[in-house]
Every structure is written in structure tokens, then in C-alpha cells.
Amino acid sequence: MRKVFWIILLLVLIYFARPLWEEKASEYVDLGFLDKFDATVEQVANGPTVSEALEQAKQLTGEISGQLQSFVSESSAEMPDAVEKPDLAETESLFAVHNVTLGMAKEEAQAKVGLPLRLMRNEYGADWHSYHQNYQNYVLLSYDQNGKVNGMFTNQDLISSTKGLSMDSNKAEVRAALGIPLKSLQKGNVQYILDTREEYDVFKIDSIYVTVFYDIHEQDTVTALQVVTEDLEKQRKKIYAAPDAELKEGFEFLLFELTNSARIQRELPLLKWDEAARATARKHSEDMAENRYFSHTNLAGKSPFDRMKDDGITFFVAGENLAYGQYSSIFAHEGLMNSMGHRENIVKPDFGYLGIGAAFNSDNQPYFTANFFNR
């Protein structure tokens, strides 16, 4: 009886405090289930017996508890079973990723990594072939017209190197092994200064370009590695790729995959792709690109939560990440991970869904909007 009394008292306090929190909470939570609470309070006020009131309160408590539980259970993905990491063999190449090296035939590479789960257009005018098992052992590979590997990427502990570098290496060790990083890239007759902000290094070693990304929140340890041939790099005629529908979609799905790859490494549930959220995100990216601004609040004064609600997306928790001006989704993701506020969204356990929308301004610079939520 005492427990029921305290439950009733708590519900009454919540009810009479509603003016203080209801408007703000409604931005994040559908409060329709509280209509039953209003009805019960009205019935109690009209004079039921004490026993009837207690029974109604117990019933209402169960309904509200079930409603709140459904918020958590409806969309939260379960953690997939752990997948064993491959044994990394010694390599004679500067770098190997999942025991794959540049120049390896596609058939040999896929014997090591399996079949691709998605192809995504990249800034080189080629496709990243995505290989993973529920985002574990995550690898991207690109192939030339002869079916030879000409590009590799991973943000997981799948690196072997003749230089002894790994994901445990830090920036100082990388630079000691690979030399002085590039300060610029030549594209045609234009020299582009690399604005690395000390978050990544680009090295030109013989006929390959190596980009090493660092985690500034973890003592500048290596967080990802991209290796591409000189021929593939030359396919990117300018620092920003010419956009089209395939590149837009490729950027969107790749940023989604990288987000889940980061989550699975932290033993967090995987996010589900949401088309409605992508539509909302795309509209915001297109608005920013067209009107040359960069903000979570659009020119009409609407927040991410306003925009999602306007598009019929229901949620009890939501968040938004924005990125602008990076060369690709890889650079965008690594930049977001180095920004603590954005990083918190990427690794927030409460989120269950994600939609990403990309757009390009007249200078071909990409804008990324990522809308996270759970319902």
C-alpha cells in the first residue's frame, strides 16, 4: 500500500508541475499518452471511492510504464554478435588493410574480406566497396579498370605495415616513420593548401598517397587510414569533386556507415537508416548550400526539432550534426569525431535511427546534415 501511495503522490506532483515542463518536453516527446492521466485525475476529482482511485492509479501507472518502455524498445537495435578479428599477417607493402594491399586482384582481396555490402561513389569518380560483418572488420576498397585494388580505408584495428605502425601509434610516431606531411596538393595548375588543423596528415610516398587521421581526444592516436594510388588521386581533378546524384547518395550512405563503424567499436547498438530523416536532412543541407550559411537554425528560425516535426517525424530524443567543406564523408566523419559535441551524438546510446542528407554549393563544397533520433 505504501508503494502505491508514493506512486500516486509522484504522479500528482508531475501532473501539477506540467506547466513548468510540458512545452519544452513536447519538443522531444509525444505527450499524447498523458491524456489518460488527465481523464483519471478528472474522475478522481468527481468523487470515486479511495479503493477505486487506487485501482485507477495502479492501472494508469502500468500504462504509462508500458508507454515509456515502448519508447526504448521499439527502435533500439540489439547489439550484434561479436565477430572475430582476422589474423594480420606480415606485409611487404608499406600498408596492408585486412591483409589486402594495393595492386591486389579483386578476387584475391575478396577472398580475404568477403563480398561487398554496398557500393558508394566517392570523390575520385570511383566506388568504395564496403566490406564488414555488422560494421565489424570494416574496410573500404576501390578497384581500377583492371580489377586491381587502387584504394583502401579502415577506421578499425586492421592495419599492418612495414613501418610497424598500427591503430595504437600516435602522430609523432607516424611522422617519425613516414616523414614530413604534405602542406598542399597540386591539382592541375592550382596548388591547394591543406587545412589539416593537426587532425590528419597526408604523405606522398613513392606512387601512393597515405592519409592518417588522428583522435585529438585520445592523445593523437591513429583513428583511421586511407591509402590510394597516385593514378586514383589524379582522377580527382580539383580539390572538390564535381557533384552529381550518385556522389550525393554515396556521401550520405558512407557517413552513415562510418557512424555505425564508430559505434560498434564502442559496443553501442547500431543505428537504423531512416528515409524520412534523410529527406529532412537533405532539405537543410540544400538550404545551407544555396543560401551560404551554416547553422542548426534555418533562415526561418526553425530548429532541427522543428524541422523534423514539420516532416512528420515523431521522436522522444533527437540530435543533429552538421559538417561543411570537407573533401569527403571520411574527412567529415573524422572531423565530427574530433568535435566533442558532435562526437557525443555519434556515440549516444539513446539514438536508434539516423538519416543523412548532403548537398553542394556552387564551389562544389559539400554540406552534411545528420539527424539522429529515437521514437
Side-chain angles (χ1 to χ4, degrees), residues 103-107 124-127 129 141-151 229 231-232 235:
M104 183 176 288
K106 183 177 183 179
E107 294 75 16
Y124 303 108
D127 289 328
H129 297 233
L141 298 178
S142 171
Y143 303 96
D144 64 20
Q145 59 185 1
N146 297 315
K148 304 290 186 180
V149 175
N150 63 359
T229 64
D231 287 341
L232 183 59
Q235 290 181 200

Side-chain angles (χ1 to χ4, degrees), residues 79-86 98 109-117 130-139 156 158 257 260-261 264-265 270:
M79 281 293 299
D81 292 335
V83 175
E84 188 176 352
K85 175 187 166 185
H98 203 304
Q110 292 190 163
K112 301 176 184 294
V113 298
L115 295 176
L117 299 181
S130 172
Y131 305 90
H132 58 88
Q133 299 88 44
N134 286 321
Y135 296 97
Q136 298 167 81
N137 298 330
Y138 186 82
V139 175
Q156 297 188 7
L158 301 170
E257 290 200 356
N260 268 336
S261 179
I264 200 67
Q265 294 179 76
L270 299 175

Side-chain angles (χ1 to χ4, degrees), residues 152-180:
M152 309 184 297
F153 170 86
T154 189
N155 60 354
Q156 297 188 7
D157 188 16
L158 301 170
I159 300 169
S160 48
S161 170
T162 54
K163 297 290 187 178
L165 298 173
S166 70
M167 298 293 279
D168 293 325
S169 304
N170 60 35
K171 183 188 298 182
E173 292 167 338
V174 170
R175 290 179 175 178
L178 302 183
I180 300 173

Side-chain angles (χ1 to χ4, degrees), residues 275-301:
E275 276 295 324
R278 169 161 71 167
T280 299
R282 269 192 177 183
K283 284 190 289 187
H284 189 56
S285 289
E286 289 166 355
D287 188 38
M288 290 190 294
E290 181 178 350
N291 293 290
R292 297 278 184 160
Y293 73 95
F294 186 65
S295 173
H296 291 287
T297 303
N298 68 14
L299 299 181

Side-chain angles (χ1 to χ4, degrees), residues 81-116:
D81 292 335
V83 175
E84 188 176 352
K85 175 187 166 185
D87 292 328
L88 300 180
E90 291 187 7
T91 179
E92 296 180 358
S93 300
L94 179 60
F95 285 104
V97 173
H98 203 304
N99 298 320
V100 175
T101 58
L102 292 179
M104 183 176 288
K106 183 177 183 179
E107 294 75 16
E108 184 180 355
Q110 292 190 163
K112 301 176 184 294
V113 298
L115 295 176

Side-chain angles (χ1 to χ4, degrees), residues 218-279:
E218 298 290 342
Q219 292 78 50
D220 284 333
T221 51
V222 175
T223 184
L225 173 76
Q226 176 179 285
V227 184
V228 301
T229 64
E230 185 174 16
D231 287 341
L232 183 59
E233 181 60 50
K234 285 180 178 178
Q235 290 181 200
R236 182 169 58 141
K237 302 301 182 184
K238 297 181 179 180
I239 200 70
Y240 291 109
D244 58 22
E246 285 185 296
L247 185 64
K248 177 187 289 190
E249 186 171 89
F251 275 11
E252 291 168 347
F253 280 121
L254 181 51
L255 189 53
F256 172 78
E257 290 200 356
L258 294 170
T259 300
N260 268 336
S261 179
R263 288 175 69 89
I264 200 67
Q265 294 179 76
R266 292 160 177 79
E267 298 184 352
L268 295 171
L270 299 175
L271 301 176
K272 300 175 184 177
W273 178 262
D274 188 84
E275 276 295 324
R278 169 161 71 167

